[in-house]
Amino acid sequence: MRPSAGERVAQLLLALLKALCYLALFLGAQVLVMLPVAIASIIRSAIEGTVVDQEALTQLLVEQSMAFSLIANMLTLFIVMAFYLIRRKRFSQALWLRRVDGPTLWAGASLAPALYLAVSMVLLVLPESWMESYNEASSGITSGGVVGVLAVVAAAPIVEEVIFRGLIMTRLNQAVPGWLAVALSAVIFGACHGDPVWFGYAFPLGLVFGFIDLRAGSIWPSILAHMAFNSIGQVLDVLPDSDEAVLGFFLALLASAVILPILDRRGIKALFRRNPKAAPGQSLPTTPGVYEFDPWET
């Protein structure tokens, strides 16, 4: 029996509410870990009878952005895991951490060099004024030692894929077609990056990651793809500042962009099958846009 128009609207509103709750958790954790620093600065200024040095505070937050990001992502993941542990829900279903076969698992990662090259080519042709804004917004995202690597290469990809694909996209897909759920989650993903240039490449990346996950029935492929993409940027950050080093890096990246998809052609081809097979131990929805589980169901 097909749901009535009223039921479809209610289903859509519920899906949007769930998505907003997960987005609020992600953004709230970012603010929460920086709040003590701001409060401490205000208290110190009050004791000293001076005005808060907003420029110094901003500089401190930028310099320690990787540490704040790592802590915020760990806090977000802890809260999500605790929520589903309390509700006795399996992470494989609730967070879409379902098992997939080897070729499909690595499909996204094999495309990461090509994606990075595409983004780099677009950035090269953007107006200088746009790039100045982008570089300023990205100034805190450097390798920064072990903390920076953990934040950028491990924590951010895992948590962002859990939130934007594993939770937001799948909840939206309970009420809207898959392609629309992918697009909406990609818009949210891009908007959370703030800077317009950042949005300009985070949005298409979100589309690619969402498409891969929707076809695979799991967020593991996009987690590895996200990790690979961010790792490439970290390698570029630590290269010697010379034309030869940069040229060699991009030549190696170009070779990887050609070779890796060929090596994993089975996994990539599987993403475009008309009726992809479910991985062992996983069942895909029998009705498009309607999943067999509701993680918030009591």
Side-chain angles (χ1 to χ4, degrees):
M1 180 178 178
R2 296 179 64 86
S4 65
E7 290 173 334
R8 288 198 297 270
V9 170
Q11 187 181 34
L12 176 60
L13 291 176
L14 180 59
L16 289 172
L17 177 60
K18 292 178 182 181
L20 287 174
C21 287
Y22 289 121
L23 179 61
L25 168 62
F26 177 78
L27 297 177
Q30 309 291 320
V31 174
L32 185 62
V33 298
M34 293 186 288
L35 193 59
V37 177
I39 293 175
S41 179
I42 294 172
I43 293 175
R44 184 177 63 183
S45 297
I47 293 174
E48 296 175 351
T50 60
V51 179
V52 176
D53 189 340
Q54 295 184 357
E55 184 177 345
L57 178 59
T58 301
Q59 182 64 27
L60 174 62
L61 295 177
V62 170
E63 291 176 351
Q64 300 299 323
S65 60
M66 290 296 92
F68 290 133
S69 176
L70 179 60
I71 296 171
N73 282 321
M74 291 176 64
L75 176 62
T76 301
L77 192 60
F78 172 79
I79 293 174
V80 170
M81 294 178 68
F83 177 79
Y84 287 109
L85 281 173
I86 291 172
R87 298 182 66 82
R88 297 182 181 180
K89 300 290 183 178
R90 290 188 301 164
F91 295 147
S92 60
Q93 291 294 332
L95 307 181
W96 251 37
L97 291 167
R98 296 161 161 177
R99 290 183 294 122
V100 295
D101 60 87
T104 303
L105 177 65
W106 291 101
S110 67
L111 295 173
L115 292 173
Y116 197 93
L117 275 175
V119 169
S120 299
M121 294 302 102
V122 172
L123 293 179
L124 284 176
V125 301
L126 291 180
E128 185 176 348
S129 58
W130 292 19
M131 289 306 300
E132 288 178 358
S133 172
Y134 169 72
N135 290 331
E136 183 179 349
S138 307
S139 59
I141 305 179
T142 58
S143 57
V146 175
V147 172
V149 171
L150 288 176
V152 175
V153 176
I158 292 173
V159 174
E160 289 178 5
E161 293 310 309
V162 164
I163 294 294
F164 294 102
R165 255 66 67 180
L167 293 173
I168 291 179
M169 184 186 76
T170 59
R171 277 39 174 192
L172 290 174
N173 196 202
Q174 292 176 347
V176 301
W179 66 268
L180 184 54
V182 169
L184 290 174
S185 63
V187 168
I188 298 170
F189 177 62
C192 286
H193 284 74
D195 185 81
V197 175
W198 226 338
F199 174 88
Y201 76 76
F203 170 66
L205 283 178
L207 291 178
V208 174
F209 292 162
F211 168 78
I212 292 173
D213 287 347
L214 202 63
R215 298 296 291 175
S218 170
I219 66 169
W220 280 118
S222 70
I223 288 177
L224 294 185
H226 203 151
M227 284 182 169
F229 187 92
N230 286 9
S231 297
I232 295 170
Q234 291 295 288
V235 172
L236 183 59
D237 281 341
V238 300
L239 285 179
D241 189 13
S242 68
D243 293 340
E244 292 80 6
V246 174
L247 178 60
F249 171 81
F250 277 102
L251 287 176
L253 195 61
L254 178 60
S256 300
V258 174
I259 295 173
L260 292 180
I262 294 175
L263 293 177
D264 195 38
R265 57 189 178 277
R266 285 180 53 203
I268 295 174
K269 183 179 179 181
L271 298 176
F272 295 92
R273 289 177 186 157
R274 181 174 294 274
N275 295 306
K277 294 181 179 180
Q282 145 192 341
S283 58
L284 293 175
T286 54
T287 304
V290 179
Y291 288 95
E292 75 280 9
F293 67 96
D294 181 357
W296 286 12
E297 185 180 23
T298 55

